[in-house]
Amino acid sequence: MKPSDFIHPEDAAALRQMEGIPGFAALVKKILAIGIENMQYGMNMASSIRLSEKQLPKIYRHLPPICEKLGIAEPEFYLQMSPVPNAWTSGDTRIYITVTSSLVEMMNEEELDAIIAHECGHILCRHVLYHTVAQWISNGLANFGVLGALATPIEYALCYWSRKSELSADRAGAIVTSPEVVASTMARLAGGPQSLTAQINMEEWASQADEYDKIQNSGLWNKTLQLAIIAGLDHPFSAVRVREILKWGASDQYHIIKNGGPMQVLSGPSCPACGTSVAPGWGFCRNCGHKL
């Protein structure tokens, strides 16, 4: 499996724009140089439980088959006690996934697979380094003088890309499970336990994203207000994610991957930005995200 097989075009485009910001590469190197990765890894090691065949194997055994299916090396896997259902992936040279106790308790087996596959999708798409940088910037790294005047534009660019990267990771979750299971994990996180959310009409919920778009696009002032709300968010709204994953689940791209492997594109037109072959009807290059 390659990231170009499934990456969301808005993720690829946002990443390309972010990496073009002057000073961005230097910022990433500086953050790594001051030892933040080792500090974060040490904190997680000391405060969480590392899962394995010898340590809570029932939870651990979700991970290896997902890594095998997506074709990635197995990261370290941790459980953290928290009343907040959550999962995240951190690190660059030592990558690890952490899930919280309330997340494990809330999700059924398939939903937990979808969430772990989502985190593995971040690894496969090489999102983890920039997510780590975004986290430390949002936690106030600029207050220590590391960024100076660059702090705000780089933080907003990272948050914008991070929101788009979640759409690609959701696709990885759907490859391992299904778009419907990914949508049901969103229902749990947005609405509560299965006893309350099992009967949610997903199409109706996805239509709320269309209503949100109408509000956002109903004039310059409304667009400005909505941009102010989301500028510092690193995840898209749940209804938007449900709409995107259900739409992708109905696509030829998804069915080709599920029925036998990566996209196979016949010879013909190519992307003017990266040269990858493209198929008729594609709005974006699925390798680099360039608008066609």
Side-chain angles (χ1 to χ4, degrees), residues 82-88 98-104 115 119 189 235:
S82 172
V84 179
N86 200 6
W88 61 91
T98 303
V99 294
T100 64
S101 54
S102 57
L103 179 86
V104 175
I115 288 173
E119 297 304 324
L189 294 171
H235 280 62

Side-chain angles (χ1 to χ4, degrees), residues 87-136:
W88 61 91
T89 305
S90 298
D92 180 43
T93 57
R94 301 183 72 169
I95 298 175
Y96 56 92
I97 294 172
T98 303
V99 294
T100 64
S101 54
S102 57
L103 179 86
V104 175
E105 289 184 332
M106 177 180 283
M107 301 296 168
N108 64 32
E109 296 293 297
E110 275 195 311
E111 290 165 349
L112 187 55
D113 279 344
I115 288 173
I116 295 171
H118 172 103
E119 297 304 324
C120 289
H122 282 312
I123 297 170
L124 177 57
C125 292
R126 301 178 180 88
H127 291 155
V128 181
L129 171 60
Y130 291 162
H131 279 174
T132 302
V133 171
Q135 178 185 353
W136 281 96

Side-chain angles (χ1 to χ4, degrees), residues 178-289:
S178 71
E180 293 74 22
V181 172
V182 172
S184 74
T185 68
M186 295 297 105
R188 304 288 173 267
L189 294 171
Q194 194 169 25
S195 60
L196 296 175
T197 57
Q199 302 303 316
I200 283 180
N201 183 323
M202 294 298 177
E203 295 291 345
E204 185 70 16
W205 188 19
S207 72
Q208 292 178 214
D210 297 330
E211 294 297 319
Y212 171 73
D213 286 346
K214 292 177 183 177
I215 295 171
Q216 189 177 30
N217 297 320
S218 61
L220 181 59
W221 180 239
N222 282 334
K223 183 182 288 290
T224 301
L225 290 175
Q226 292 301 321
L227 286 174
I229 291 170
I230 67 174
L233 299 181
D234 58 6
H235 280 62
F237 293 130
S238 296
V240 173
R241 293 174 68 176
V242 169
R243 178 183 63 184
E244 288 294 311
I245 199 61
L246 294 180
K247 182 168 66 175
W248 190 63
S251 70
D252 291 341
Q253 185 185 27
Y254 175 72
H255 289 291
I256 289 171
I257 291 172
K258 288 292 282 188
N259 292 331
M263 294 291 292
Q264 299 295 325
V265 180
L266 299 176
S267 60
S270 61
C271 172
C274 70
T276 299
S277 296
V278 298
W282 284 12
F284 295 84
C285 172
R286 289 169 182 169
N287 178 56
C288 73

Side-chain angles (χ1 to χ4, degrees), residues 131-152:
H131 279 174
T132 302
V133 171
Q135 178 185 353
W136 281 96
I137 291 176
S138 66
N139 285 346
L141 196 60
N143 295 333
F144 296 96
V146 175
L147 298 178
L150 291 174
T152 299

